[in-house]
Amino acid sequence: MPQTPATAPAARHPWLIQGGMGVGVSGWRLAKAVSGEGQLGVVSGTALDVVLARVLQTGDPGGHARRALAAFPLPELAQTAVDCYFREDGLADGVPMRTTPRLRATGGAQAEILTVLGNFVEVWLAKEGHDGVIGINYLEKIQLATAPAMFGAILAGVDYVLVGAGVPGQIPALASRLARYERCVNKIHVEGGPHGEEPLEHLFDPAALLAGHLPGLLRRPRVLAIVSLPVLAAYLARDEATRPDGFVIETSKAGGHSAPPRGPMKLDEDGEPVYGPRDNPDLAKMAALGLPFWLAGGQASPEAVAGALAEGAAGVQVGSAFALCEESGMARHLREELLGRAHTGTLSVRNDPEASPTSFPFKVADLPGTVAEPEVAAARRRVCDLGFLRTAVRGPRGLVYRCAAEPVAAYVRKGGDAADTQGRQCLCNGLLATIGLAQRRPHGRVEPPLVTIGKDLSFLPALAPDAEPYAAADVVRWLAAGAGRPAAG
């Protein structure tokens, strides 16, 4: 019988979670810096297969990715990524990045291997050289990657798994099975077709992937579900199979995706969703569940930390303040542009109800040269060559995968409504460009960035009064005053 995995240790819960920000904005450098301050540093788990492949193609500066791959328990498997993607001198100008295989519910061993490796590398580097806690953030929407991605993170010793953008009911049991090397069945949501929305079953066998070379007992990470309201938290907590180890309660003030308002969608005069009293979480109901919870969205101040603790929360999750610090994975010129515009009062951040193919509202910073500019968005040729936000659909021709940001004709051919493509942006390519890993297109074109940040930047006068750079440690130590205890270090 397989041994029961130990749960990742946590003598006491951290009062601060550094939010997971994809793609690669919360990379291993940022998470490691926050963990070094005694708090929970979190890497983004989105698209780490592509991130690894592109870092290797750009020459792997500093050799960090190859150092982590050398620690993978099955060296010959890790070497396949090096052999396929590593370019010692990087790529010449204009040479496109090599494409990566796509995950599919019906198979795709090479895609699964690269996903495992990418997640292992990111967590291993974040944990290297210290004994602090590290988490990884996933999107429930990206279901095909969940099992291999989480397995790679668990192999590297991840302490927390945070999952949002959906109902993460499968994650607690999945974490336990993966830590025991057990074959897993992950149910994939499918739209349409004569069978209604009956899910697909995606099989993942971690022991087979490692060819039986199991590195010993693994620790099960603690699972935190990211939700917007206590009603979903209560639904997950009622059953042992779906009950996480805690919750992050994220409001619409957070950067990136946010849950749509409850009830019919209403837009204000600027075309942004209108949130009302029904969207404010009842923290007394959260506390009554008996599980730790953290507040997220507009929590970046010592006063917010103190207020959250007074309301019974274990602490807060903060993202945007870390997205703009020196260890952030966001390209430096974009960080500097954001800081400069925020300092002069000329930065605009829109909660766009159309930008994301997921149909969830998505914060977009209005920066020159990015797809926030209508002329830049119009000039970009629609292409879906990464496909992380694709949805499985049963149609007349069987199972297909489609994304509302793909070419309109392709979307319609797969049974979609052209109206659903209006205003949609390719988050996959745009967010990779934001961290300096943009795809190069024919005729000298390069994928433009898409920058997301929270609407509440009131922390900047304290952290960067003159729009000067600041470090992750500065954020932690500033917020620590609200927790009533000094930061580590």
Side-chain angles (χ1 to χ4, degrees):
M1 295 290 291
Q3 292 179 283
T4 300
T7 299
R12 62 177 173 82
H13 292 291
W15 57 265
L16 176 62
I17 299 174
Q18 163 255 306
M21 299 168 286
V23 170
V25 171
S26 57
W28 63 267
R29 293 175 178 85
L30 174 56
K32 187 172 187 175
V34 173
S35 184
E37 294 295 315
Q39 301 307 312
L40 178 53
V42 178
V43 298
S44 167
T46 303
L48 285 177
D49 51 345
V50 178
V51 170
L52 173 60
R54 292 190 178 182
V55 165
L56 290 172
Q57 288 174 82
T58 55
D60 186 20
H64 302 297
R66 284 168 292 156
R67 186 172 70 255
L69 286 170
F72 191 74
L74 190 58
E76 54 266 39
L77 201 64
Q79 188 62 38
T80 62
V82 177
D83 293 342
C84 186
Y85 296 106
F86 179 61
R87 302 292 180 270
E88 186 170 2
D89 297 322
L91 296 174
D93 290 345
V95 175
M97 301 278 191
R98 183 170 182 174
T99 57
T100 51
R102 294 194 189 193
L103 291 160
R104 296 183 182 277
T106 52
Q110 292 307 309
E112 288 185 347
I113 290 169
L114 191 58
T115 299
V116 170
L117 293 174
N119 283 260
F120 176 89
V121 165
E122 199 73 12
V123 173
W124 191 92
L125 289 172
K127 291 185 70 69
E128 184 185 23
H130 66 93
D131 59 0
V133 289
I134 292 293
I136 192 165
N137 179 274
Y138 295 119
L139 301 179
E140 169 65 16
K141 171 70 177 175
I142 308 179
Q143 295 180 312
L144 290 173
T146 301
M150 198 187 308
F151 181 61
I154 290 173
L155 276 175
V158 74
D159 301 289
Y160 286 80
V161 168
L162 301 88
V163 185
V167 183
Q170 301 181 78
I171 305 302
L174 185 61
S176 297
R177 293 185 67 85
L178 289 171
R180 296 192 294 259
Y181 305 103
E182 292 178 1
R183 192 165 179 259
C184 301
V185 178
N186 195 29
K187 295 186 182 300
I188 308 299
H189 173 74
V190 181
E191 295 181 2
H195 304 290
E197 296 189 356
E198 181 182 343
L200 283 172
E201 292 189 343
H202 176 226
L203 305 179
F204 177 72
D205 189 339
L209 182 135
L210 293 178
H213 298 283
L214 310 185
L217 188 66
L218 301 176
R219 286 189 293 111
R220 178 196 183 275
R222 297 180 183 272
V223 174
L224 302 183
I226 303 173
V227 300
S228 60
L229 291 169
V231 63
L232 177 53
Y235 169 78
L236 294 170
R238 68 180 182 176
D239 189 308
E240 184 179 356
T242 61
R243 186 183 304 129
D245 299 289
F247 297 95
V248 175
I249 308 299
E250 189 173 83
T251 71
S252 61
K253 292 183 179 180
H257 288 100
S258 57
R262 298 187 76 183
M265 175 75 80
K266 295 180 180 179
L267 304 180
D268 62 18
E269 61 274 13
D270 296 320
E272 299 188 30
V274 176
Y275 291 85
R278 296 178 64 195
D279 300 299
N280 296 326
D282 185 330
L283 300 186
K285 290 183 178 179
M286 283 304 309
L289 295 177
L291 293 170
F293 65 94
W294 290 256
L295 303 186
Q299 301 297 316
S301 72
E303 295 75 19
V305 175
L309 294 173
E311 292 273 12
V316 300
Q317 175 178 286
V318 171
S320 296
F322 289 110
L324 296 176
C325 76
E326 283 292 280
E327 295 90 346
S328 165
M330 187 184 299
R332 178 174 294 275
H333 73 280
L334 294 172
R335 279 192 282 119
E336 292 176 347
E337 184 75 23
L338 282 168
L339 284 169
R341 286 177 174 257
H343 183 64
T344 59
T346 58
L347 177 63
S348 172
V349 179
R350 182 167 185 263
N351 194 18
D352 193 327
E354 294 185 336
S356 174
T358 66
S359 298
F360 277 36
F362 187 78
K363 313 296 187 312
V364 179
D366 186 9
L367 295 183
T370 71
V371 293
E373 288 192 311
E375 58 272 24
V376 174
R380 179 187 178 272
R381 177 174 172 269
R382 291 177 74 112
V383 61
C384 184
D385 54 354
L386 295 170
F388 290 101
L389 296 178
R390 293 174 302 155
T391 299
V393 181
R394 284 192 179 95
R397 299 183 179 180
L399 184 69
V400 295
Y401 298 86
R402 72 185 183 206
C403 175
E406 71 182 338
V408 178
Y411 186 77
V412 172
R413 187 169 61 249
K414 297 171 186 175
D417 186 341
D420 294 337
T421 67
Q422 187 66 35
R424 306 297 188 203
Q425 303 295 342
C426 180
L427 301 194
C428 302
N429 276 293
L431 294 175
L432 278 161
T434 297
I435 61 170
L437 293 176
Q439 181 60 285
R440 296 92 172 266
R441 303 295 185 192
H443 312 297
R445 292 181 291 113
V446 177
E447 283 285 351
L450 187 156
V451 180
T452 182
I453 197 80
K455 291 176 72 70
D456 182 2
L457 302 179
S458 58
F459 54 83
L460 285 176
L463 292 172
D466 300 313
E468 291 297 316
Y470 62 91
D474 295 326
V475 182
V476 179
R477 293 170 186 178
W478 176 58
L479 294 174
R485 57 179 74 97

